[in-house]
Amino acid sequence: MKILVVGGGGREHAIIRALKKSPACTEIWCAPGNGGIGCDAVCKDIKATDVAAMVAFAKEEGFDYAVVAQDDPLALGMVDALADAGIPAFGPNAAAARIEASKVFSKDLMKKYGIPTAKYETFDDPRAAMAYIRAEGKYPVVVKADGLALGKGVLICQSESEAEAGIKEIMLDKKFGASGNRVVVEEFLTGPEVSVLSFCDGKTVVPMVSSMDHKRALDGDKGLNTGGMGTVAPNPYYTPEIAETCMRTIFAPTVAAMQAEGCPFKGCLYFGLMLTPDGPKVIEYNCRFGDPEAQVVLPLLQSDLLTIMQATTDGTLDKTEVKFADGAAACVILASGGYPLAYEKGKKITGLTDGQLEGAEDVTVYHAGTARKGEALVTAGGRVLGVTATAPTLPQALEKAYAAARRIGFEGAHMRTDIGKRALAALGQ
Ligand code: AMP
Ligand code: GLY
């Protein structure tokens, strides 16, 4: 089979490396891809959001299957357009992608179907939003832009004046564009966060191994929010009892709710959960693999990813094996100095041969923001590389991932040094 993966980050690289293990996968392309992905797939420079150009290219090249990995092309209906062109694709259609693309949609869905989440109200008028915040008088309060905002549309406001500034930023200054036409104002929850990615075929949901992201830029969960500076899997807070509760109160009801609303979800549904004192609650849904969650979850997948993906498209997930290894995985992100604010690009990356580390067993380097410059690989994004190691235990995986990451260098490189620390504490180590 000739396969096209749409996107160009570490997550797409992880998907490609997993798909390549499938005996049925004979040819793999990535659009737009990046310098390091080019070592594993043929890259084609088409913007992931250019639906018309992508579909035309997919038809021209005669792909048998496509994987749309990124949120914005999903929200723009790329899976619908590919299907219309006769190319089956992994991922939700535009109607189902609303579960991520509109927080108002997802919150209203949870309210209607009794799925546990933070208490909230939605507003399209900034004055009404502020009146509600004042009347509630509880801080911190969480203000979220309705639409996609590159993961930056969530503000945790410690006071009335911070909330006022946040509402102004989102709704009046339109910092996130039309995403801020409406806001969700919700109660602040506390507890450990767990990411659970799942395969869905519209009716069946199969959770993958759990994981833990590290969203803040600096050690000790300090600094600005990023796309994620590292991940571990499994997440030790996510016990079998909690998993059972989540299946009963969150996963199965969500998939049934989407079906009942006439937009069954097919693809990877990401449950961002908080384990609150009142039980697990949904913080957010994503309509795709997490990045860098995919970089720890997929290396632990033992079953054939292509077969599973096709089963989500065909509606046969209940008859498909989805098995994960017992061990652990850890991913450490090497970022450009300054990320998530302004950073320089074009720095030469040292330590890699054909994009990978030589002689590092059970280690994979996933390329997030790299480009080719002649023979050399250079930095080309905020998150540059994700260094993943697998091992029988989490401490071993972390040690291997850090040892590997330290062998790679570029000017200004920054990584957190405490990925997995909280997970180890939860394990009593
Ligand atoms: P999101 O972009 O929706 O993933 O939100 C970013 C981060 O904000 C989450 O990972 C949480 O750490 C935090 N967050 C979002 N909503 C809440 C909430 N209701 N209570 C506490 N923290 C939240
Ligand atoms: N790592 C969080 C996300 O992909 O949204």
Side-chain angles (χ1 to χ4, degrees), residues 11 213 215 227-228 270 284 286 288-293:
R11 163 185 53 209
D213 194 6
K215 283 206 168 115
Y270 167 134
E284 62 160 349
N286 291 324
R288 45 154 183 100
F289 285 95
D291 187 343
E293 282 89 342

Side-chain angles (χ1 to χ4, degrees), residues 158-324:
Q158 302 294 339
S159 63
E160 187 180 318
S161 59
E162 270 189 44
E164 225 163 297
I167 295 275
K168 179 172 174 292
E169 221 173 62
I170 295 176
M171 301 191 83
L172 299 172
D173 305 343
K174 295 275 192 261
K175 188 168 170 194
F176 308 109
S179 289
N181 289 349
R182 292 192 291 179
V183 292
V184 170
V185 176
E186 71 177 29
E187 127 196 63
F188 180 77
L189 300 176
T190 56
E193 285 187 56
V194 182
S195 306
V196 180
L197 319 186
S198 69
F199 292 109
C200 300
D201 68 355
K203 29 188 216 296
T204 301
V205 51
V206 180
M208 301 179 218
V209 64
S210 62
S211 55
M212 184 193 283
D213 194 6
H214 299 69
K215 283 206 168 115
R216 302 292 203 93
L218 307 175
D219 282 11
D221 290 327
K222 302 243 164 37
L224 294 170
N225 250 326
T226 70
M229 292 296 293
T231 35
V232 298
N235 184 323
Y237 288 102
Y238 191 71
T239 61
E241 295 73 48
I242 292 175
E244 192 277 321
T245 304
C246 289
M247 181 49 105
R248 190 167 34 81
T249 63
I250 296 174
F251 306 159
T254 300
V255 170
M258 291 297 278
Q259 204 177 5
E261 290 295 306
C263 48
F265 190 97
K266 294 182 169 196
C268 173
L269 182 53
Y270 167 134
F271 298 90
L273 307 171
M274 197 170 264
L275 308 181
T276 78
D278 301 325
K281 294 190 181 182
V282 178
I283 288 281
E284 62 160 349
Y285 294 114
N286 291 324
C287 65
R288 45 154 183 100
F289 285 95
D291 187 343
E293 282 89 342
Q295 290 92 311
V296 287
V297 169
L298 292 176
L300 294 174
L301 178 66
Q302 287 178 323
S303 311
D304 186 285
L305 179 61
L306 179 58
T307 304
I308 299 169
M309 285 183 158
Q310 288 182 289
T312 69
T313 315
D314 300 342
T316 53
L317 197 52
D318 58 339
K319 298 180 195 78
T320 306
E321 183 199 72
V322 182
K323 220 174 139 233
F324 284 85

Side-chain angles (χ1 to χ4, degrees), residues 321-399:
E321 183 199 72
V322 182
K323 220 174 139 233
F324 284 85
D326 284 334
C331 175
V332 177
I333 299 289
L334 283 165
S336 295
Y339 172 77
L341 299 176
Y343 53 84
E344 289 177 19
K345 296 181 187 174
K347 308 290 181 197
K348 188 165 187 266
I349 301 168
T350 57
L352 300 176
T353 312
D354 290 331
Q356 295 298 317
L357 270 171
E358 275 186 337
E361 220 173 296
D362 302 321
V363 170
T364 308
V365 180
Y366 295 112
H367 289 244
T370 66
R372 285 236 160 244
K373 199 170 168 190
E375 284 302 291
L377 273 173
V378 297
T379 65
R383 291 189 292 177
V384 177
L385 299 164
V387 184
T388 294
T390 56
T393 68
L394 182 59
Q396 291 163 341
L398 283 163
E399 201 181 302

Side-chain angles (χ1 to χ4, degrees), residues 21-82:
K21 290 190 201 151
S22 174
C25 170
T26 48
E27 202 177 326
I28 194 152
W29 290 59
C30 188
N34 66 40
I37 290 177
C39 299
D40 285 303
V42 188
C43 293
K44 173 77 181 175
D45 195 14
I46 299 173
K47 264 173 81 175
T49 47
D50 192 340
V51 177
M54 196 67 76
V55 174
F57 166 69
K59 271 195 343 204
E60 195 181 295
E61 277 293 333
F63 286 102
D64 298 300
Y65 194 67
V67 177
V68 183
Q70 219 172 285
D71 50 4
D72 28 12
L74 289 166
L76 290 169
M78 192 178 281
V79 167
D80 315 55
L82 284 165

